[in-house]
Amino acid sequence: MEAVVVLMDNLWVAIGAILVFFMIGGFILLEAGSTRMKNAGHIAGKTIFTAGIGTLVFWAVGYGFIYGDGNAFIGLSNFFYGDASPADGGLTPAVDFSFQVMFAIVSLTIAFGGFAERAKLSVYVIFAVLFSAFIYPVVAHWIWGGGWLAEHGKQDFAGSTVVHLTGAMAALAATIILKPRIGKYNKDGSSNNLAGHNQVYTSLGVLILWVGWFGFNGASTFGVADGFLGFVILNTQLAAAAGAIAAMFTAWAVTGKADVPTTLNGALAGLVAITASCGFVAPWAAVVIGLVGGIMVVFSMKLFDKAKLDDPIAALSVHGTVGVWGTLSNGLFALPALSTDIEWGQAGLFYGGGFEQLGVQALGVVASGAYAFVVAFIILKIMDKVMGGLRVTEEEEIMGLDISEHGSYGYPEQMALEEVKVSMAATTEGKYSTR
Amino acid sequence: MKTYESIKIWKDENIPSFLSDSVLINNFHDQVMLKVLEVAQSKMGDIKPPCEFTWFITGSGGRFEQGVISDQDHGIIYEFSNEENDAYFMKLGEEISYGLDWIGYPFCKGNIMSSNPIWCKSLHNWQQQIQEWMDNESWEAIRYLQIFYDARTLFGKMNYVLQLKQLIYQYQLEHPMLLRRFIANIMHLRNGIGPMGKIIVEQYGPYQGCVNLKYSAFLPYVNAIRLLSIKEGIYETSTLERMRRLIHFDYEELLRDCEDNFKLLLQYRLSLLQGEDYTDTHYIKIKKVSKEDRKIIKRIIKDGKRLHDEVIQLTLSFTRT
């Protein structure tokens, strides 16, 4: 019986790895749909090759920095991972590695959300290497790899902080350094809506991410014991549902329109919010956490827009702002039976745990967020100097990164048509002004 | 004044002194446009108009509701069609449109201009065209009919426009379906107030944070009152004048507060824009408006929606019987 359970554990986590990797497909559709046609091929394609880079770097050094033997700050063994030993009462090292590497790739993809529609291709290549080596693994080591935050009892079930906040902070650094896309802000400070080109892609992207999240959270149980994975999946589903609805009604109440992209970001916000707490809280709390996440994401998007931080796919709000909320929510809602009793931190404020766990969660957010932001900022600043700018030229940006970085459009027929329209509009205008 | 340039100088010099009052500024626009007509006629050389004609303006100008700047909307009706007349008025129409644009009334994007053959015809051809529009009932035709219903004679024989409007009135008496088509054309109303009771503002673009008075406030009043006027055969064009006439048709309860609201609205558009540049006269930054004024604007928008909805209900039930 025990052997069967071990095999099932391995199988479930392997399925989880596959589900999490499929989230990259969700990101491709989400990001491509949320941006303009002229950049669609580029955004889709770069997501694939940065996943490749992320994988190799994680294999070479990332895993070792997280889980290797080392100190409270970083791990320092198990580089160039190659442990083929079979299951010995637990997960095989290879299954564990496969699951872990997918999280690193997801975090990297989130970070690249902040680069969209204006960064050079070479910037993606180099930053993918540096992020996967020096940013993600350090935070992951602190919280999951037995580092100093783990010792404090930091609760982050599947990675609100480790994966989402880390990615979002790198995205924030990039957003600040890259500056807004051409045409996003007017001279008087008002902003324009550079609408994404395909809401169907974006919706499908969100749905794929949603499904993938069952692996992301569900397989973070690392096993099938007690069927606890079902509880985690239930919480995940509830929070996502609540987030979508909350964001839609909030947008409707504020702007008078039930905006589709905002609704979609609400679902993602629910998912990000429950990521830290899915294994710690009661289902009713999952609903509350998702609702709050969905409301927050709407106002967060507005605030970033006002602050002139151009965030084309709302990565800062969805993964950053809501990632913080998700992590803190543990400090409020964690059940004693799923925390104190199993010696994983303390119960939340609402269960008599006092402010202790909330404090630990806040410390984790501040320390991890600050580390990810500062290091990403320094790396990008140096790259900016060395590479003569992170951004494509104005002309290339207007042409679109499909053609400037890759030599062909993601939508060849449509883009040709656009050019005809533009030249026709110019002709008509010419006619007008000369009467 | 012999040239467009001299009119433009005169207009730019004098318009600031009319900014305080909607009636004054509309009278002034009328004067300016009449002078443009004079110059346009003089540009035709020695040729005098070969027959009687009317030059009318429509849109906000026709309704006597122009702000500081608006597009040109106008047309010509002449006595009878022959080769000479057709050519003369077509040329005059083109000249007028050019002149208006020159002095600051931009070309109409919908091409409602005397330079467009659709809007420059003999009386007989106009009668035919209006008949066709009414029979045709296409979205475009209904839109044209509504635009025509706001026509106001600026120069020439008044009764040409009246005759044509009577045609519309008579037709809808016999064919209530026409009213239903008018309703369908104006039924959609942009929400001006959100579910939480806040004024809805532009989310993006150069007018971020502004309320669009044209869509949220003006149009519900203008469209509802025009619809009632078509139904009752009122040929005045200004929304305020139409309201004053409609009161006598047993619409007192329906029109309560509406005249005051609309007057305030015209006033707001002028007063709140003082000191702004005149690029667009319908957007108002809500943050710059005092709390009191915000309350009033909100009430105007709410009452406008009520009027709009009630007029549609009432007209619909009338066309069913």
Side-chain angles (χ1 to χ4, degrees):
Chain A
M1 179 64 194
E2 211 169 290
V4 173
V5 170
V6 168
L7 286 177
M8 282 175 70
D9 286 349
N10 276 284
L11 187 60
W12 171 234
V13 177
I15 291 171
I18 294 166
L19 281 169
V20 177
F21 190 57
F22 194 52
M23 286 168 76
I24 299 300
F27 278 115
I28 287 175
L29 286 171
L30 170 76
E31 292 190 24
S34 308
T35 49
R36 288 162 296 176
M37 221 177 215
K38 62 184 179 184
N39 300 317
H42 156 76
I43 288 191
K46 68 86 184 147
T47 309
I48 294 290
F49 84 70
T50 54
I53 295 175
T55 302
L56 294 184
V57 174
F58 193 81
W59 165 73
V61 294
Y63 188 90
F65 283 156
I66 302 174
Y67 295 104
D69 300 326
N71 49 45
F73 181 76
I74 198 161
L76 289 166
S77 65
N78 296 54
F79 298 123
F80 296 95
Y81 196 81
D83 190 344
S85 50
D88 181 18
L91 295 183
T92 71
V95 165
D96 181 46
F97 177 90
S98 302
F99 190 55
Q100 298 295 344
V101 68
M102 301 315 174
F103 283 71
I105 298 170
V106 166
S107 190
L108 176 64
T109 306
I110 292 167
F112 281 140
F115 294 62
E117 297 198 290
R118 57 213 193 279
K120 288 177 189 167
L121 190 72
S122 48
V123 168
Y124 283 95
V125 176
I126 294 167
F127 191 73
V129 174
L130 299 174
F131 179 90
S132 304
F134 302 117
I135 298 177
Y136 176 80
V138 174
V139 177
H141 176 76
W142 292 357
I143 296 172
W144 289 341
W148 66 278
L149 278 168
E151 285 164 19
H152 280 86
K154 169 85 165 37
Q155 298 165 344
D156 189 3
F157 196 79
S160 268
T161 304
V162 177
V163 179
H164 295 281
L165 184 64
T166 304
M169 292 317 267
L172 176 63
T175 304
I176 292 170
I177 296 172
L178 280 164
K179 303 209 167 58
R181 291 166 294 170
I182 294 171
K184 174 61 189 174
Y185 291 101
N186 302 313
K187 278 202 183 104
D188 64 356
S190 58
S191 73
N192 299 311
N193 182 21
L194 303 183
H197 84 282
N198 194 328
Q199 292 188 351
V200 181
Y201 276 7
T202 312
S203 306
L204 197 50
V206 168
L207 190 88
I208 290 174
L209 283 165
W210 189 329
V211 172
W213 231 286
F214 297 136
F216 197 97
N217 288 356
S220 290
T221 53
F222 289 101
V224 296
D226 307 326
F228 189 59
L229 63 97
F231 183 76
V232 171
I233 288 175
L234 169 68
N235 276 349
T236 304
Q237 177 72 2
L238 289 174
I245 291 165
M248 194 195 86
F249 279 107
T250 307
W252 181 59
V254 174
T255 66
K257 294 278 180 214
D259 181 59
V260 171
T262 307
T263 308
L264 298 174
N265 284 329
L268 292 180
L271 289 163
V272 171
I274 201 63
T275 296
S277 46
C278 54
F280 293 98
V281 303
W284 70 264
V287 173
V288 175
I289 291 167
L291 281 173
V292 173
I295 295 167
M296 274 173 89
V297 80
V298 180
F299 292 104
S300 172
M301 283 161 68
K302 288 207 174 301
L303 283 177
F304 279 119
D305 194 67
K306 266 213 177 123
K308 306 257 178 311
L309 289 168
D310 179 18
D311 183 14
I313 36 208
L316 306 180
S317 297
V318 169
H319 303 279
T321 312
V322 179
V324 170
W325 157 242
T327 307
L328 294 179
S329 73
N330 275 35
L332 301 172
F333 297 102
L335 292 163
L338 298 174
S339 54
T340 328
D341 298 359
I342 57 166
E343 290 177 12
W344 191 350
Q346 299 295 318
L349 180 64
F350 300 150
Y351 292 95
F355 286 94
E356 191 185 330
Q357 191 61 36
L358 194 60
V360 171
Q361 299 298 96
L363 174 71
V365 164
V366 173
S368 309
Y371 175 81
F373 177 76
V374 170
V375 176
F377 195 87
I378 292 169
I379 288 176
L380 286 167
K381 268 288 175 200
I382 294 171
M383 284 170 64
D384 192 18
K385 285 270 175 310
V386 175
M387 301 171 70
L390 300 177
R391 202 165 159 152
V392 294
T393 66
E394 213 166 287
E395 194 187 4
E396 288 168 330
E397 190 175 333
I398 289 167
M399 270 194 295
L401 277 71
D402 281 11
I403 201 80
S404 81
E405 303 299 282
H406 307 276
S408 63
Y409 280 118
Y411 295 90
E413 288 91 345
Q414 270 77 1
M415 293 313 292
L417 203 68
E418 282 297 303
E419 277 165 21
V420 173
K421 267 196 242 161
V422 169
S423 62
M424 271 170 62
T427 320
T428 320
E429 260 163 39
K431 208 174 106 199
Y432 248 126
S433 56
T434 57
R435 192 189 155 201
Chain B
M1 269 168 269
K2 292 269 167 23
T3 62
Y4 297 135
E5 195 176 0
S6 56
I7 302 176
K8 186 173 165 54
I9 292 168
W10 172 69
K11 180 191 165 209
D12 292 347
E13 265 173 16
N14 287 287
I15 205 159
S17 53
F18 300 108
L19 289 179
S20 58
D21 186 286
S22 179
V23 176
L24 291 180
I25 201 167
N26 275 280
N27 274 324
F28 182 65
H29 280 306
D30 280 5
Q31 283 183 54
V32 174
M33 287 191 272
L34 277 170
K35 292 206 186 303
V36 171
L37 176 68
E38 262 175 46
V39 174
Q41 274 185 288
S42 75
K43 296 243 172 173
M44 302 290 288
D46 293 335
I47 322 167
K48 291 271 159 286
C51 66
E52 294 266 17
F53 77 100
T54 276
W55 183 51
F56 65 82
I57 58 172
T58 177
S60 60
R63 292 192 305 271
F64 213 65
E65 286 156 16
Q66 286 191 84
V68 182
I69 284 184
S70 59
D71 286 8
Q72 43 173 303
D73 297 288
H74 50 95
I76 291 174
I77 309 166
Y78 49 92
E79 202 178 350
F80 58 91
S81 167
N82 62 29
E83 210 170 302
E84 185 196 357
N85 291 2
D86 294 352
Y88 176 88
F89 288 108
M90 203 57 242
K91 190 147 182 270
L92 179 65
E94 279 171 17
E95 190 55 48
I96 295 171
S97 308
Y98 170 75
L100 285 173
D101 180 65
W102 209 101
I103 71 145
Y105 301 93
F107 287 122
C108 169
K109 288 192 196 91
N111 208 3
I112 317 292
M113 298 188 288
S114 310
S115 52
N116 178 354
I118 295 177
W119 294 92
C120 179
K121 284 186 183 313
S122 71
L123 180 61
H124 179 71
N125 287 343
W126 261 109
Q127 286 164 337
Q128 269 187 344
Q129 173 162 275
I130 291 216
Q131 190 67 42
E132 277 162 24
W133 283 346
M134 293 187 297
D135 293 338
N136 176 313
E137 288 193 356
S138 70
W139 192 88
E140 184 85 303
I142 294 295
R143 193 176 135 257
Y144 283 155
L145 281 171
Q146 294 191 72
I147 292 168
F148 183 79
Y149 210 79
D150 290 345
R152 174 166 65 90
T153 305
L154 210 54
F155 176 87
K157 287 192 80 131
M158 281 244 311
N159 79 341
Y160 285 171
V161 170
L162 279 182
Q163 276 186 50
L164 294 171
K165 285 190 184 177
Q166 274 164 358
L167 212 60
I168 301 173
Y169 175 63
Q170 289 302 330
Y171 187 96
Q172 64 86 25
L173 282 182
E174 290 157 34
H175 306 87
M177 265 312 287
L178 184 64
L179 283 181
R180 295 190 79 107
R181 290 293 297 143
F182 279 122
I183 292 168
N185 201 279
I186 63 166
M187 194 125 100
H188 173 74
L189 191 60
R190 243 214 258 184
N191 251 345
I193 309 277
M196 313 290 274
K198 279 183 81 172
I199 297 175
I200 291 177
V201 294
E202 298 290 314
Q203 294 298 311
Y204 289 104
Y207 299 111
Q208 199 170 36
C210 294
V211 55
N212 184 340
L213 282 187
K214 182 172 178 178
Y215 287 101
S216 300
F218 272 97
L219 279 189
Y221 286 93
V222 167
N223 285 340
I225 295 297
R226 186 197 300 107
L227 182 64
L228 278 186
S229 303
I230 295 173
K231 178 171 174 288
E232 304 299 351
I234 289 165
Y235 303 134
E236 273 80 6
T237 54
S238 106
T239 302
L240 285 173
E241 198 55 46
R242 284 171 173 171
M243 285 180 188
R244 284 175 205 133
R245 294 286 312 275
L246 283 166
I247 295 274
H248 303 298
F249 285 80
D250 209 19
Y251 292 124
E252 246 165 285
E253 177 56 25
L254 183 71
L255 294 175
R256 65 178 190 271
D257 301 333
C258 286
E259 193 181 327
D260 290 343
N261 283 350
F262 202 76
K263 268 190 207 157
L264 275 172
L265 199 51
L266 290 167
Q267 202 51 43
Y268 268 121
R269 191 176 54 181
L270 288 176
S271 64
L272 293 177
L273 284 159
Q274 304 257 351
E276 302 276 319
D277 57 358
Y278 303 142
T279 45
D280 199 295
T281 52
H282 283 110
Y283 288 99
I284 288 177
K285 194 144 215 140
I286 210 74
K287 283 221 169 110
K288 286 190 185 161
V289 174
S290 74
K291 228 179 168 183
E292 301 295 292
D293 286 340
R294 239 184 268 184
K295 248 190 188 159
I296 298 173
I297 291 174
K298 201 195 271 190
R299 200 195 66 220
I300 294 175
I301 294 175
K302 272 190 178 161
D303 286 354
K305 184 170 163 47
R306 174 194 61 81
L307 174 75
H308 183 265
D309 292 349
E310 283 181 16
V311 166
I312 284 178
Q313 279 314 314
L314 186 135
T315 321
L316 270 181
S317 62
F318 167 80
T319 59
R320 272 192 212 106
T321 49

